[in-house]
Amino acid sequence: MSSASTVDAHGGVTGSATAQVRALALVPLLVYAVLTQLDALGNRLSAYSPIGTTPLLLGALVAATGAMLLLPGASRRLGETMGARLVAALFCWAVFCWALSRHQSEGLTYLGKLAAALLPAFCLFIIADTPVRLRAVLCAIVAAGAVSAAIVLVEHHTHARLLSTSVAATTAGFEGVARSAGGSDENPTTAAQMLLVSILIAAAWLFSGERRWRWPLAALVAAGALALVFMSARSALIGLAAGAALIALGFRRRGFFPLLVVGGIVALLGAVPFLPPTLVDRFTAIGDFGQDPTLYRRISYLRIGWDLFQQSPVWGVGPGNFPLYYVTDAYRWMPGREPFPRELHNTYLDAATELGAIGFLLFAATLGHALRAAWRGAGSIDPVLRRTARAAGIALAGLMVACFFMPHKDLRYLWLIAGIAIQSGRLSSRPGEAA
């Protein structure tokens, strides 16, 4: 290849080099989508390396984004992204709240985690610039979910840990029964919510007329739902029910819709006798806190968070600061309160408590914009973009429901799926974009 075919007179990348740059730039984004859910595998791969997989992947993503920015039109594509402006505004506000917070050391650590979650979304706006590339990222998430579901099923059968090594992933249990975290080192509930995203994407594709991969998708949905049952994650199952309801609503104009609703309710009720006793007990404990004392603690999270929000309603107590306020003497008599720092297990109240009303509005506006963008993309005439946007919107909505029960404003899959939803809406307004 001659130098003339690689670089033009102004230093821009042209010709076949453009295709090579675009192909290579997608690789770190796909690996990130996989290893975010299979982080236990990433931790094992980097166990003897001075640099973990997360810094390596983030560095690769930044480098790939820089390479893509050299291509014609990239700067324009970034500048027109309203979602990127909202995400940037949210992070800037979080930095402002941190500057006014009492516990700045802990807050700085949290800001690092939040930045690591938001950065890939910015990179996605540049790298995944066509419907086909956007679909590839969702395929990576689905593939990771398939592996994680398989690990959960094997661990349930063998009672052995295959990948997880962290304390959070290996010590969680209920009534003496250990809970699997699949391929993650996160706690089992967080791992279940990441698996939830994979299942909803697969289910959305399955019921949107995807014929070529319908049997693998059906198998993943079935295996993933079974894995969620064995993981005993109430929030993930509630999110799955919400996602399933949205998929069912897509058939509301069909004559069989009433039968579909009745059939779903009957199937759900019929499955109850076959559910693991541990899962049934976790749901029945909602009406009897004596079965699950952690519910007292969850109520205390909400009460403490609301009290802190009232004390500082504009800029909150600062990112990452709630756990430090949680253990103060002012709240020592709260039912179920523990003597060590805990996070507020409600993403939305957590955002309001730590970032104030303005931060909450920015957070809500960003996710609302993502859902609206997915809705717009779902009306595209491009079948690839239409199915991608619909899957991203349903997965995001289901995850947002599950986030009512966990502190996930820095969850990487939340921002990755939100980024995909935003990008699908943007691409729907550019029908001439080449795939």
Side-chain angles (χ1 to χ4, degrees):
M1 181 186 301
S2 67
S3 59
S5 65
T6 304
V7 182
D8 65 13
H10 301 286
V13 182
T14 62
S16 60
T18 298
Q20 295 173 7
V21 170
R22 289 174 57 79
L24 290 175
L26 188 60
V27 173
L29 187 58
L30 298 180
V31 176
Y32 173 84
V34 171
L35 291 186
T36 294
Q37 186 165 179
L38 303 179
D39 56 293
L41 174 61
N43 292 338
R44 291 207 174 197
L45 292 175
S46 63
Y48 301 102
S49 170
I51 303 177
T53 52
T54 296
L56 286 174
L57 281 175
L58 293 179
L61 279 171
V62 170
T65 302
M68 288 288 290
L69 286 172
L70 295 175
L71 302 179
S75 297
R76 173 184 59 80
R77 289 196 290 268
L78 180 63
E80 67 188 20
T81 308
M82 174 58 70
R85 298 192 191 108
L86 286 171
V87 174
L90 176 63
F91 184 75
C92 289
W93 179 256
V95 173
F96 175 77
C97 296
W98 165 79
L100 300 177
S101 65
R102 178 180 299 177
H103 306 285
Q104 293 195 347
S105 176
E106 292 79 3
L108 188 61
T109 300
Y110 187 88
L111 281 178
K113 295 178 182 178
L114 182 61
L118 297 179
L119 178 61
F122 283 104
C123 296
L124 181 139
F125 295 141
I126 296 298
I127 297 173
D129 58 353
T130 69
V132 171
R133 293 166 74 84
L134 207 56
R135 182 181 62 180
V137 182
L138 288 185
C139 287
I141 295 174
V142 169
V147 174
S148 189
I151 292 173
V152 172
L153 297 179
V154 171
E155 290 188 347
H156 176 77
H157 180 71
T158 63
H159 303 288
R161 298 287 182 180
L162 300 183
L163 284 179
S164 302
T165 57
S166 70
V167 174
T170 58
T171 59
F174 182 76
E175 294 183 345
V177 178
R179 298 172 59 201
S180 172
S184 177
D185 270 338
E186 298 286 349
N187 66 76
T189 301
T190 298
Q193 292 192 8
M194 290 191 289
L195 177 57
L196 164 69
V197 171
S198 299
I199 297 170
L200 289 179
I201 293 171
W205 278 344
L206 178 64
F207 292 100
S208 65
E210 184 66 54
R211 298 181 179 276
R212 184 170 46 178
W213 301 103
R214 62 180 180 274
W215 293 115
L217 290 173
L220 172 58
V221 171
L226 185 61
L228 287 185
V229 168
F230 290 148
M231 296 172 87
S232 297
R234 290 171 294 204
S235 60
L237 289 170
I238 293 172
L240 180 63
L246 287 176
I247 293 173
L249 282 174
F251 299 96
R252 63 188 179 279
R253 293 186 177 88
R254 304 291 185 89
F256 58 80
F257 179 68
L259 183 61
L260 178 66
V261 174
V262 173
I265 295 174
V266 171
L268 183 61
L269 295 176
V272 171
F274 302 98
L275 296 175
T278 303
L279 177 62
V280 175
D281 289 344
R282 281 179 64 81
F283 273 101
T284 57
I286 296 175
D288 180 9
F289 283 22
Q291 286 185 261
D292 187 0
T294 64
L295 295 175
Y296 286 109
R297 186 172 69 222
R298 289 175 178 269
I299 295 298
S300 292
Y301 295 151
L302 303 179
R303 293 176 61 186
I304 295 172
W306 179 247
D307 184 65
L308 290 173
F309 172 73
Q310 291 179 305
Q311 294 178 32
S312 182
V314 179
W315 50 74
V317 298
N321 273 230
F322 174 83
L324 283 303
Y325 284 92
Y326 173 80
V327 295
T328 58
D329 288 342
Y331 304 113
R332 64 185 181 279
W333 303 117
M334 285 284 185
R337 201 212 71 159
E338 295 185 332
F340 46 84
R342 302 282 299 186
E343 292 188 86
L344 201 168
H345 281 46
N346 182 300
T347 298
Y348 308 101
L349 181 56
D350 185 37
T353 300
E354 294 196 340
L355 305 179
I358 295 177
F360 170 78
L361 290 175
L362 286 170
F363 182 77
T366 304
L367 296 182
H369 176 76
L371 289 174
R372 183 173 177 272
W375 178 269
R376 186 168 64 250
S380 171
I381 60 174
D382 183 335
V384 174
L385 181 57
R386 183 171 64 249
R387 291 169 181 166
T388 297
R390 186 166 185 265
I394 290 173
L396 178 59
L399 181 58
M400 286 173 63
V401 170
C403 282
F404 273 99
F405 311 98
M406 288 295 287
H408 278 165
K409 65 181 185 293
D410 63 337
L411 182 67
R412 295 178 183 180
Y413 260 19
L414 175 65
W415 294 110
L416 184 61
I417 292 297
I420 293 171
I422 291 170
Q423 187 75 333
S424 65
R426 288 187 55 252
L427 294 180
S428 69
S429 65
R430 295 157 55 194
E433 186 79 34

